[in-house]
Amino acid sequence: MLPEEMRLDGNAAGGALRELFARDVTAGLATCGGCGGARPVGALLDYGTPLGVVLRCPDCDHVMLRLTQVGGWLRVDLSGIAILALPNVPAS
């Protein structure tokens, strides 16, 4: 089978994404895109603002996650996290 024949649109990943985002992400292990340090998301420093949440690395102060709700959209910026590893337990 050719790779082009196996290609689907993003809707095919809906079940896996639903499983990912239904979890308690604070138990996940986040690797900082700035210094490479890894720690649980719950141990990051929260700089909450009226517009949302900003989580920073406690070691280097690099912004790891931004979460805002604007205009009926929930926006998540994970560009400051090199790797986010979540425990592989089913959502309840």
Side-chain angles (χ1 to χ4, degrees):
M1 179 177 276
L2 297 172
E4 294 81 19
E5 296 172 328
M6 299 175 7
R7 182 175 35 213
L8 303 170
D9 67 20
N11 290 311
L17 292 171
R18 185 178 314 115
E19 183 179 328
L20 168 67
F21 288 107
R23 296 174 186 227
D24 178 8
V25 178
T26 60
L29 189 64
T31 301
C32 178
C35 70
R39 66 185 66 243
V41 172
L44 303 179
L45 300 178
D46 180 2
Y47 290 82
T49 71
L51 293 177
V53 171
V54 176
L55 296 180
R56 290 182 175 265
C57 176
D59 293 329
C60 72
D61 206 37
H62 183 73
V63 174
M64 296 177 68
L65 180 148
R66 294 179 183 96
L67 176 65
T68 61
Q69 294 183 34
V70 178
W73 290 86
L74 179 63
R75 297 173 188 246
V76 181
D77 174 2
L78 299 169
S79 61
I81 296 177
I83 298 171
L84 178 61
L86 300 172
N88 193 16
V89 292
S92 55

